[in-house]
Amino acid sequence: MNDPASLNAMLAARDLAHVWHPCTQMREHDGTLPLIPIVRGDGAWLVDAEGNRYLDGISSWWSNLFGHANPRIAAAIAGQAARLNHVMLAGFTHEPALQLAEELVRVAPPGLERVSYASDGASAVEIALKMSFHYWHNAGFPERRRFIALANAYHGETLGALSVSDLPLYRAVYGPLLFDPIVAPSPDWLDAEPGESPDDVAKRRLGDLRALLERHARETCAVIVEPLVQCSGGMRMHSPVYLAGLRRLCDEFDVHLIADEIAVGFGRTGTLFACEQACPEPGRRAGITPDFLCLSKGLTGGALPLSAVLSTDKVYRAFLGDYAANNAFLHSHTFSGNPIACAAALASLAIFRDQPVLEHIGELSARLAERIERLRDHPHVAGVRQTGLIAAFDLVVDKASGTAYAGAERRGRRFYRHALERGVLLRPLGDTVYFLPPYCINESDIDLLVDVAVDSIGATIA
Ligand SMILES: Cc1ncc(COP(=O)(O)O)c(C=O)c1O
């Protein structure tokens, strides 16, 4: 722990007197878990009050794209803050909000023409769920009140988003407050039967989904999915075959498809949006267009909170009518479309436009793939996997049986502490270690991430 007289320790003590941190058992900051006061960011690195540096291997909860304190995004924020901080978006508009909407429509899968803004990922999911439900209500199908969500899904912590999430750690205690979705099995390729490929798993799981839709389509508003990677659920990955089949099934049974790309959007999986990778089918182009696309995290390059839900004109038109008919979407958040956040998002999208970002992500992904190769033979590592610039593995008692450590042993937490002491921020999900670095990371820092991970596995299993 920190020397109590140190600057870090003094800031931590002031913090702990009042701040209640997210996703944290606060008791653990009483002695066993350091609280690190960060004073500045420098590309892929974070710097604490005493000048110690930490390589951010997880992009600060998957949000940062082009580095902490990115100068271009910082300048856009400063310029906008000096002109207009905020104006409500009901009855008013401003250049950053309308320009961002134009840009998002331009880069998103074709057919998504309408943009609703909110502040965080979970609030975007709330909008998508409510809009889908309300669409069916306006269209004369009030019996459609249910959602299909995938096993192991995560869509955020507000009550609606948590309802369609399937992680007991976050959900169980609030169960009495939540609605129950229809749960479809996850197409996670780690669940392959002997001899099955990831595509085979996807096809089998599409069969399961079809069976659910045959029974429930007439009471269902939408299927909600995290395309290609279920991130909070342990970086579980699936074949793009699943996405193509999912779109086909939603069309066939006339239910909406909500793509939650809050974590995987903006290049993480190697394409700007994961939906673009849905396999081409006979007579169809590659990629799918969901009915709702939820975006946040990397939307502003990770600099400010902002989220957006893109939807189709067909959905939008179902909400037009006489005011008295009460069929408008009256949902609102005070800071919807905040100009400073929109300016940050425009600066981030301009970097995608001006630089070969996706090519660079491809190069970094190849380097990461090469470096994690040696983990495949490690006796305490299972399930080495990668999609784009997201890679993960699970710490296990022994590889042959795949036996997991008892949860109470908190091996992942040990790993986290050990890596931090070596100046690397890798924060496992349970015993799943993952790499999800910002795109400004250089190749030698990718090597450092993996070297420290290998070293930390040794310390974790000892
Ligand atoms: C797929 C997905 N959806 C929604 C959310 C919720 O976003 P936020 O934490 O900004 O509310 C997350 C957060 O990790 C996420 O990974």
Side-chain angles (χ1 to χ4, degrees):
M1 290 303 292
N2 304 327
D3 166 2
S6 76
L7 201 48
N8 277 356
M10 284 188 296
L11 288 169
R14 274 175 55 203
D15 172 288
L16 292 172
H18 299 292
V19 181
W20 193 340
H21 288 260
C23 205
T24 299
Q25 171 46 264
M26 293 300 295
R27 258 293 271 283
E28 302 202 326
H29 283 311
D30 283 358
T32 55
L33 195 67
L35 178 69
I36 302 174
I38 295 297
V39 293
R40 69 187 176 86
D42 176 16
W45 292 80
L46 296 162
V47 185
D48 76 15
E50 292 166 9
N52 302 307
R53 292 166 67 81
Y54 308 88
L55 178 58
D56 187 353
I58 60 166
S59 299
S60 280
W61 270 341
W62 328 334
S63 58
N64 194 282
L65 303 187
F66 301 115
H68 295 283
N70 177 279
R72 192 161 172 184
I73 297 174
I77 290 172
Q80 186 56 46
R83 274 192 301 281
L84 173 69
N85 282 310
H86 187 62
V87 60
M88 63 189 199
L89 211 56
F92 295 87
T93 192
H94 49 79
E95 180 76 20
L98 66 89
Q99 202 184 327
L100 180 59
E102 289 167 352
E103 271 300 292
L104 289 173
V105 167
R106 191 178 68 76
V107 298
L112 294 168
E113 309 275 354
R114 298 286 162 181
V115 179
S116 309
Y117 291 115
S119 321
D120 296 292
S123 47
V125 171
E126 298 293 332
I127 287 177
L129 296 173
K130 285 177 69 181
M131 249 183 201
S132 174
F133 169 83
H134 199 158
Y135 169 92
W136 292 113
H137 175 92
N138 286 354
F141 299 92
E143 68 281 7
R144 293 204 184 219
R145 311 157 60 127
R146 302 199 68 188
F147 291 88
I148 297 181
L150 299 194
N152 197 43
Y154 179 84
H155 298 286
E157 300 291 340
T158 52
L159 295 180
L162 198 55
S163 293
V164 288
S165 300
D166 185 43
L167 302 183
L169 179 64
Y170 308 121
R171 190 185 200 279
V173 73
Y174 306 104
L177 300 180
L178 307 177
F179 65 79
D180 286 322
I182 299 158
V183 179
S186 167
D188 177 359
W189 70 44
L190 292 182
D191 288 342
E193 307 281 358
E196 263 189 334
S197 69
D199 290 359
D200 295 336
V201 180
K203 286 175 194 155
R204 177 159 56 84
R205 293 315 194 189
L206 286 167
D208 296 331
L209 181 60
R210 167 178 287 282
L212 285 177
L213 284 165
E214 278 165 357
R215 270 210 315 283
H216 296 290
R218 265 180 283 172
E219 52 177 324
T220 298
C221 300
V223 180
I224 180 165
V225 66
E226 295 157 88
L228 295 187
V229 188
Q230 293 186 307
C231 290
S232 297
M235 299 295 161
R236 297 307 187 101
M237 301 173 181
H238 56 258
S239 155
V241 162
Y242 189 77
L243 296 180
L246 179 57
R247 178 68 275 181
R248 202 174 49 238
L249 284 173
C250 288
D251 287 345
E252 182 182 334
F253 287 92
D254 198 21
V255 302
H256 289 145
L257 173 56
I258 301 173
D260 175 354
E261 294 222 20
I262 287 161
V264 296
F266 300 105
R268 298 282 179 203
T269 67
T271 44
L272 192 61
F273 299 110
C275 282
E276 293 170 31
Q277 292 184 44
C279 295
E281 304 210 296
R284 292 193 185 217
R285 61 180 169 76
I288 54 161
T289 299
D291 300 284
F292 301 91
L293 177 66
C294 301
L295 303 172
S296 188
K297 292 191 186 275
L299 173 57
T300 59
L304 285 173
L306 179 69
S307 60
V309 180
L310 276 64
S311 55
T312 61
D313 253 336
K314 181 176 178 193
V315 168
Y316 176 77
R317 281 196 308 273
F319 290 83
L320 300 178
D322 284 343
Y323 186 78
N326 199 21
N327 59 2
F329 193 63
L330 298 182
H331 182 111
S332 64
H333 295 285
T334 305
F335 288 107
S336 292
N338 171 265
I340 305 174
C342 289
L346 284 165
S348 180
L349 287 174
I351 297 174
F352 275 103
R353 240 187 2 254
D354 298 348
Q355 296 173 19
V357 177
L358 294 173
E359 287 84 336
H360 185 55
I361 291 171
E363 288 155 13
L364 294 172
S365 306
R367 178 68 164 222
L368 184 57
E370 188 190 299
R371 301 305 294 184
I372 61 172
E373 200 47 41
R374 67 180 151 145
L375 286 165
R376 290 188 193 276
D377 294 328
H378 195 293
H380 294 282
V381 166
V384 177
R385 52 198 181 272
Q386 183 174 357
T387 297
L389 201 47
I390 306 174
F393 62 87
D394 305 311
L395 296 168
V396 290
V397 177
D398 92 286
K399 189 186 205 66
S401 65
T403 312
Y405 287 104
E409 293 180 21
R410 311 283 305 277
R411 299 279 173 163
R413 186 168 168 275
R414 256 195 244 179
F415 179 102
Y416 167 70
R417 285 208 56 175
H418 190 269
L420 262 187
E421 281 160 16
R422 271 146 195 77
V424 166
L425 167 48
L426 289 171
R427 192 175 191 269
L429 296 153
D431 287 347
T432 298
V433 177
Y434 67 93
F435 307 98
L436 201 156
Y439 312 150
C440 62
I441 194 168
N442 60 37
E443 296 200 333
S444 65
D445 283 346
I446 286 194
D447 298 354
L448 177 66
L449 279 185
V450 180
D451 289 347
V452 169
V454 171
D455 189 44
S456 302
I457 298 170
T460 303
I461 59 172

